[in-house]
Amino acid sequence: MGFSTLLSLKSMISLVVLLIATGIGSFLYLTIDTDFEAQLKTAVRSAPSSKSFPTEDIGHIINSAREAWSIVNKNRAVVDVQTSYGNVLPSHITDPFELQSWSSPPASHTFTVNVYNRLKQRVLQFTYSLQFTYGGSLDGKGAYLDRVTIIPSRISVAWAYVFNASVKIESIHNVGTRDEPIAAAHVELHYRLAGLNTVERTESFHVRGDGKYVHLTN
C-alpha cells in the first residue's frame, strides 16, 4: 500500500470520526433543548387555572396596583407617591375613578420609630405616615381601598449607620359580605438599620375600606 493511499485512508477515517462526533454533539444539544421545552410546557400545564368570576361579583377583589416597593434606600427617601401604592378594588374595575364616595381627604396616621444604642444614644429617628383612601363604592355598594401606602416624612440616622425601608401589601381580604364587601389589606413595613449593630423589624397594619385600621407591631 503506497504512502498516498495510506494518507487518503487516514483522511477518510478522520472525516468519519468528525462526522460522528458532530452528529452526537448535535443530538445532545437538541436533546437538552427539547428537554427544557418539555419542562417549560409541563410547568405551564401544571399551573393552577384562574377561576372566572362574573363581572357583577363585587365581592371578588384584587390589588391592581403595586405589591412591594422601597421607600428608603441608604438613608434617603425614594418613594414615588404617584406610583408607590396598593389598592383593593372589584376585579372588573380598571380605574378607581369608576367608583364613587371616596374619602376626602385620605386617611393619614403618623408614627415615629426611635432606635437607641447601648449608651442610650439615639441612632435613628424615623417618622412615617400610613395613608389610604377608603370608602369607594360601586353603585352604592361596598367599601374599597385605593392608594394604600406609607410615606416617610423624617429620617435622622447617626453617622456610620445605614437605614433601608420597604413596604409590601402582604395580602388582601373581603371582611364584609359578598353583596356588601369591605375591602381590607395587610400592609407590612420592613426596615433595617445596620452599623455598629443591626436592628431589623417589621411593623404591620390592617387597613379596611370603612376607614378602620389596626397597628400590629411584630
Side-chain angles (χ1 to χ4, degrees):
M1 181 180 295
F3 177 78
S4 60
T5 304
L6 182 60
L7 183 60
S8 298
L9 182 59
K10 288 183 177 181
S11 298
M12 291 179 62
I13 293 175
S14 299
L15 180 60
V16 171
V17 171
L18 179 61
L19 290 174
I20 293 174
T22 302
I24 293 175
S26 299
F27 174 75
L28 290 176
Y29 175 79
L30 290 174
T31 300
I32 293 172
D33 185 60
T34 302
D35 182 63
F36 173 78
E37 291 179 355
Q39 292 180 26
L40 182 61
K41 291 178 181 178
T42 301
V44 171
R45 285 197 301 266
S46 62
S49 59
S50 58
K51 186 177 179 181
S52 59
F53 289 83
T55 57
E56 66 270 18
D57 185 4
I58 61 174
H60 180 224
I61 54 179
I62 62 170
N63 175 10
S64 63
R66 299 181 65 176
E67 293 184 359
W69 59 93
S70 175
I71 61 171
V72 180
N73 182 34
K74 296 180 180 179
N75 303 341
R76 293 186 177 184
V78 295
V79 63
D80 182 353
V81 295
Q82 299 300 321
T83 61
S84 300
Y85 62 86
N87 59 29
V88 189
L89 305 173
S91 60
H92 59 287
I93 295 298
T94 58
D95 188 339
F97 287 104
E98 296 181 48
L99 304 183
Q100 309 86 35
S101 303
W102 287 111
S103 61
S104 181
S108 182
H109 305 279
T110 302
F111 306 88
T112 297
V113 175
N114 291 299
V115 177
Y116 297 85
N117 61 16
R118 294 181 180 179
L119 299 177
K120 306 300 181 182
Q121 298 171 325
R122 188 171 63 192
V123 294
L124 171 69
Q125 184 180 55
F126 174 46
T127 301
Y128 63 91
S129 296
L130 169 70
Q131 297 184 2
F132 56 94
T133 302
Y134 65 92
S137 62
L138 183 62
D139 297 329
K141 292 186 176 182
Y144 299 95
L145 289 164
D146 190 30
R147 295 189 173 272
V148 181
T149 189
I150 290 177
I151 306 294
S153 57
R154 179 179 175 83
I155 307 168
S156 179
V157 185
W159 181 82
Y161 283 85
V162 177
F163 180 64
N164 294 292
S166 60
V167 177
K168 183 178 182 180
I169 307 297
E170 185 64 34
S171 60
I172 60 173
H173 309 279
N174 176 10
V175 294
T177 65
R178 178 172 178 174
D179 295 330
E180 291 290 345
I182 299 175
H186 184 80
V187 185
E188 290 192 347
L189 167 65
H190 180 78
Y191 57 87
R192 185 175 189 269
L193 178 68
L196 300 176
N197 56 347
T198 300
V199 176
E200 193 165 3
R201 296 175 184 168
T202 299
E203 305 208 12
S204 301
F205 300 88
H206 185 73
V207 180
R208 293 169 46 120
D210 55 7
K212 300 178 182 178
Y213 81 98
V214 179
H215 182 194
L216 306 169
T217 303
N218 293 342

